[in-house]
């Protein structure tokens, strides 16, 4: 899987550039292929800087000091991993417009069907043959601003043509030439976007930890279908569409930081609750002498909850090499496998002669589960059982997670027992879909119908380009999916 990016916007002259940089550095878990920060000064001048690489490497003190010399009043930032277009191009924030009518736009998500937007662009004479979905959206909005529309009116006009998942932040000028920061989400709220208050203004970010890192206090989430526009004189709120919440469950399973929050609950606590449910569903497969370990780092809370519920010992026998990033973001399978060999460190002495249950957040291609099982056995484990904190992933995701081709998803091609044999495990257990939804509801109060779970079920709540749908095949089994 490739992740879908982080966005941040800051309207605060005292901290716009540094606040954006600090937020992006703690949200690079959402994308480390490229990063960018841009904004607008109190004189209406647009400035931006975009670089390939992870935010933590790019936004060092020297680079942030350079940003500070621009005197930005409003800033917008982006951490990118490609879900559309080449990975070495299309870095954000994207820019479009003429003179003092330019806009900078950052987009988290993916437009699953761009046919209507493409037709509108052709009709208006906007070139779109060299752009990805984010840039197409940028040009459509900028074209309307250039023709005299306010940024708010331009977004509202384009919004009905934006089919897919998007949390979007824009900086621009209003009709008086004042800086404006505008943020909006799709009507389903698939991708997260949180509003916070800084000492001297407001900011928005993909995760609550992005707000906290910049010194902002969480106020509330931007609602699905809502637009907030911040200028010197007012905060304008418009509801662009009737909300129909479908938050991406994979934000809770994998992508969001464990110290960020959803509905006021730390992500780590939600994962721990799912781990407890996983243990309940497979209690009869556990012996009293089993040692539980979570695969670092995302799956650690799953493993802890699993051990708590089952009354088994938990030890972190597998640790992550801090020099290696998230291997799923590597561009090729060969590189992912090479990185995996040095990504995990094992405590061999604690593994020998033990029955091990290792818990992961998910199983996608089956490369990590098989690798860890092999390593545990090589260190003398008596047996290895594998547990997944989510149901089998059998369908592509078109809303911002660049899931591999369906043919690469192991659960789309093989029965559960066959996957277990491929892993080399004594037992393989997945969390059921019903169990996952119930455990999340119990701890957050968010009902199952408010989540996007197409990668498990194949049911797509937002229109997807028919060309992509035609490539989907029925999996060999739908076990663990109610």
């Amino acid at each position: 899987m490739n992740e879908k990016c982080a966005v941040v916007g800051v309207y605060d002259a005292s901290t716009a550039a540094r606040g954006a940089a600090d937020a992006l550095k703690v949200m690079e878990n959402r994308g480390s292929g490229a990063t960018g920060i841009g904004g607008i000064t109190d004189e209406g001048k647009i400035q931006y800087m975009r670089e390939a690489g992870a935010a933590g490497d790019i936004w060092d003190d020297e680079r942030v000091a350079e940003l500070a010399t621009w005197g930005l009043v409003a800033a917008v930032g982006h951490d990118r991993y490609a879900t559309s277009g080449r990975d070495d191009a299309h870095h954000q924030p994207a820019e479009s417009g003429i003179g003092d009518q330019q806009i900078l736009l950052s987009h988290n998500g993916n437009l699953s069907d761009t046919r209507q937007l493409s037709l509108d662009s052709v009709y208006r004479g906007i070139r779109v043959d060299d752009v990805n979905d984010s840039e197409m959206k940028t040009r459509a909005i900028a074209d309307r601003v250039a023709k005299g529309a306010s940024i708010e009116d331009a977004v509202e006009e384009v919004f009905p043509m934006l089919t897919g998942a998007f949390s979007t932040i824009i900086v621009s000028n209003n009709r008086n030439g004042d800086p404006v920061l505008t943020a909006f989400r799709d009507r389903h709220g698939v991708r997260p976007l949180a509003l916070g208050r800084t000492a001297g203004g407001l900011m928005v970010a993909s995760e609550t930890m992005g707000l906290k890192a910049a010194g902002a206090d969480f106020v509330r989430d931007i609602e699905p279908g809502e637009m907030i526009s911040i200028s010197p004189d007012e905060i304008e709120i418009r509801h662009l569409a009737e909300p129909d919440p479908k938050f991406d469950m994979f934000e809770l399973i994998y992508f969001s930081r464990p110290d960020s929050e959803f509905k006021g609950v730390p992500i780590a606590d939600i994962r721990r609750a799912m781990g407890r449910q996983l243990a309940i569903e497979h209690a009869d497969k556990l012996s009293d002498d089993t040692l539980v370990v979570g695969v670092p780092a995302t799956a650690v809370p799953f493993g802890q909850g699993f051990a708590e519920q089952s009354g088994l010992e938990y030890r972190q026998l597998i640790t992550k090499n801090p020099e290696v990033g998230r291997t799923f973001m590597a561009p090729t399978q060969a590189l992912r496998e090479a990185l995996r060999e040095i990504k995990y460190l094992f405590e061999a002495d604690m593994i020998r002669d033990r029955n091990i249950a290792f818990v992961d957040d998910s199983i996608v291609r089956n490369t990590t589960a098989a690798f860890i099982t092999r390593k545990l056995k090589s260190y003398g484990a008596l047996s290895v059982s594998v547990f997944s904190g989510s149901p089998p992933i059998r369908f592509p995701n078109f809303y911002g997670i660049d899931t591999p081709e369906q043919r690469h998803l192991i659960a789309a091609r093989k029965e559960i027992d066959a996957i277990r044999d491929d892993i080399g495990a004594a037992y393989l257990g997945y969390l059921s879909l019903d169990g996952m939804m119930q455990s999340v509801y119990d701890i957050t109060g968010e009902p199952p119908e408010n989540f996007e779970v197409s990668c498990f079920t194949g049911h797509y709540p937002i229109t997807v380009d028919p060309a992509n749908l035609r490539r989907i095949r029925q999996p060999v089994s739908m076990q663990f999916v109610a």
Side-chain angles (χ1 to χ4, degrees):
M1 290 179 293
N2 300 327
E3 215 276 310
K4 51 218 174 281
C5 310
V7 293
V8 62
V10 185
Y11 199 102
D12 183 342
S14 66
T15 188
R18 178 165 293 278
D22 289 343
L24 291 176
K25 284 189 285 188
V26 302
M27 296 192 298
E28 68 175 35
N29 57 293
R30 305 181 65 82
S32 57
T35 186
I37 293 175
I40 189 166
T41 69
D42 57 3
E43 297 176 348
K45 184 178 180 182
I46 291 283
Q47 303 250 100
Y48 58 89
M49 181 185 299
R50 300 178 299 216
E51 297 281 349
D57 297 326
I58 301 301
W59 306 122
D60 56 19
D61 290 343
E62 181 179 354
R63 191 65 63 86
V64 173
E66 181 181 351
L67 295 178
T69 64
W70 295 351
L72 300 180
V73 174
V76 62
H78 191 264
D79 284 336
R80 182 173 192 262
Y81 197 94
T83 60
S84 178
R86 291 162 41 209
D87 189 33
D88 60 349
H90 309 289
H91 299 165
Q92 295 185 39
E95 84 288 348
S96 187
I98 302 171
D100 60 0
Q101 295 175 321
Q102 283 182 288
I103 71 169
L104 292 176
L105 181 149
S106 289
H107 171 202
N108 169 205
N110 188 58
L111 299 184
S112 54
D113 188 348
T114 60
R115 289 174 297 172
Q116 187 177 2
L117 186 60
S118 296
L119 287 173
D120 176 80
S121 296
V122 170
Y123 174 77
R124 298 177 71 94
I126 303 170
R127 182 181 175 187
V128 294
D129 59 340
D130 60 340
V131 301
N132 66 4
D133 58 332
S134 302
E135 293 159 340
M136 187 183 301
K137 177 169 66 174
T138 305
R139 293 186 182 185
I141 295 171
D143 180 70
R144 286 157 171 83
V145 171
K147 290 179 170 62
S150 67
I151 185 64
E152 296 85 2
D153 289 344
V155 169
E156 186 164 12
E157 184 177 335
V158 172
F159 189 90
M161 294 180 283
L162 303 179
T163 302
F166 48 90
S167 286
T168 305
I169 305 172
I170 300 173
V171 291
S172 61
N173 290 315
N174 64 16
R175 288 167 176 164
N176 297 325
D178 296 321
V180 182
L181 187 145
T182 305
F184 58 97
R185 292 174 81 189
D186 68 85
R187 66 184 292 259
H188 299 287
V190 177
R191 306 267 68 85
L193 193 61
L195 175 68
R197 187 175 300 279
T198 65
L202 295 168
M203 72 175 292
V204 286
S206 291
E207 297 191 28
T208 57
M209 272 305 296
L211 301 177
K212 186 175 181 180
D217 295 324
F218 174 73
V219 175
R220 66 176 179 87
D221 290 323
I222 306 295
E223 295 298 323
E226 181 183 36
M227 175 179 67
I228 293 182
S229 188
I230 306 165
S231 62
D233 300 325
E234 65 175 342
I235 300 173
E236 181 179 349
I237 298 175
R238 297 188 189 183
H239 297 281
L240 305 179
E242 186 70 23
D244 180 17
K246 291 289 183 288
F247 188 73
D248 182 7
M249 181 61 78
F250 243 91
E251 290 283 350
L252 306 184
I253 294 169
Y254 183 85
F255 291 120
S256 293
R257 287 176 57 108
D259 46 3
S260 284
E261 295 184 354
F262 173 74
K263 301 299 179 180
V265 181
I267 299 295
D269 289 353
I270 299 172
R271 291 171 181 163
R272 194 171 288 109
M274 287 192 272
R276 289 194 292 269
Q277 178 63 30
L278 180 64
I280 291 172
E281 294 182 6
H282 300 280
D284 61 333
K285 303 300 181 182
L286 301 170
S287 59
D288 292 340
D289 63 344
T290 299
L291 186 63
V292 180
V293 60
V295 178
T298 314
V300 169
F302 287 94
Q304 292 171 338
F306 187 94
E308 290 165 6
Q309 178 64 42
S310 58
L312 298 174
E313 181 183 3
Y314 181 90
R315 296 290 294 268
Q316 198 56 55
L317 305 181
I318 309 171
T319 56
K320 184 179 176 183
N321 185 338
E323 300 301 318
V324 181
R326 303 185 109 177
T327 52
F328 77 88
M329 289 182 176
T332 67
Q333 180 67 7
L335 181 55
R336 282 190 292 269
E337 293 177 358
L339 289 173
R340 191 186 57 231
E341 290 292 334
I342 60 173
K343 177 178 181 177
Y344 299 111
L345 307 174
F346 296 81
E347 291 190 28
D349 292 342
M350 297 296 297
I351 295 169
R352 190 172 298 111
D353 297 327
R354 297 299 303 268
N355 293 310
I356 305 293
F358 87 75
V359 182
D360 208 347
D361 49 76
S362 58
I363 298 173
V364 184
R365 302 178 185 87
N366 193 30
T367 51
T368 298
F371 166 77
I372 291 179
T373 299
R374 174 171 57 81
K375 296 292 282 189
L376 290 170
K377 287 183 174 180
S378 74
Y379 290 125
L382 294 178
S383 69
V384 180
S385 295
V386 179
F387 297 89
S388 169
S390 64
I393 299 169
R394 295 184 169 105
F395 298 92
N397 178 290
F398 298 106
Y399 306 133
I401 304 173
D402 187 16
T403 315
E405 293 282 338
Q406 190 185 24
R407 59 191 174 88
H408 294 156
L409 301 175
I410 188 69
R413 299 184 291 107
K414 295 190 175 185
E415 299 275 1
I416 301 302
D417 288 348
I419 301 172
R420 179 203 62 211
D421 293 342
D422 283 355
I423 292 174
Y427 178 74
L428 170 62
Y430 288 87
L431 181 61
S432 69
L433 182 65
D434 283 347
M436 177 179 69
M437 307 306 278
Q438 185 64 47
S439 61
V440 173
Y441 174 72
D442 288 344
I443 193 170
T444 69
E446 195 72 1
E449 61 268 22
N450 285 4
F451 287 98
E452 200 289 299
V453 291
S454 59
C455 63
F456 308 123
T457 66
H459 299 145
Y460 296 99
I462 307 171
T463 302
V464 174
D465 190 317
N468 286 327
L469 291 178
R470 284 194 292 269
R471 299 166 62 188
I472 296 176
R473 299 292 181 265
Q474 184 64 28
V476 297
S477 167
M478 290 296 284
Q479 185 180 357
F480 292 104
V481 176

